[in-house]
Amino acid sequence: YRAQLMPWLPGCIRAAVNAGALGAVLSGAGTAILALTRRNTKAIGAAMLTELRKHRVAGDVQLLRVSETGATVNGEPLR
């Protein structure tokens, strides 16, 4: 239902996928769009920003890595 409030969302997701993302989704409470990538991260982020700017929507790109250790508590893995 939140996506209906963001007419630019499908274009931003399409831009991410067309630039090489594995996929993209609206994340959290609707304040972020998450694109999953293996490569071309900067180009994918740039494509998403370009699409947002077409609609005069501000944004920024944050490149994050997926944790390979999983969840921990006080430095110890959960079991």
Side-chain angles (χ1 to χ4, degrees), residues 15 45-55:
M48 294 171 75
L49 284 176
T50 296
E51 184 62 28
L52 290 175
R53 288 183 182 133
K54 288 179 186 177
H55 298 275

Side-chain angles (χ1 to χ4, degrees), residues 4-5 7-8 10 18 20 27-30 36-37 39 41 43 46-47 52 54-55 63-64 68 70-72 78:
Q4 295 173 359
L5 303 173
W8 43 264
N18 288 345
S27 179
L36 297 174
T37 70
R39 58 187 69 83
T41 54
L52 290 175
K54 288 179 186 177
H55 298 275
L63 303 179
L64 309 170
E68 295 181 15
T72 62
L78 296 177

Side-chain angles (χ1 to χ4, degrees), residues 4-72:
Q4 295 173 359
L5 303 173
M6 302 169 209
W8 43 264
L9 180 64
C12 189
I13 291 172
R14 191 169 36 255
V17 171
N18 288 345
L22 300 172
V25 296
L26 184 63
S27 179
T31 58
I33 302 169
L34 170 72
L36 297 174
T37 70
R38 289 191 175 154
R39 58 187 69 83
N40 303 327
T41 54
K42 290 182 182 178
I44 292 165
M48 294 171 75
L49 284 176
T50 296
E51 184 62 28
L52 290 175
R53 288 183 182 133
K54 288 179 186 177
H55 298 275
R56 298 182 182 184
V57 175
D60 68 321
V61 174
Q62 296 182 20
L63 303 179
L64 309 170
R65 292 189 176 273
V66 174
S67 171
E68 295 181 15
T69 59
T72 62

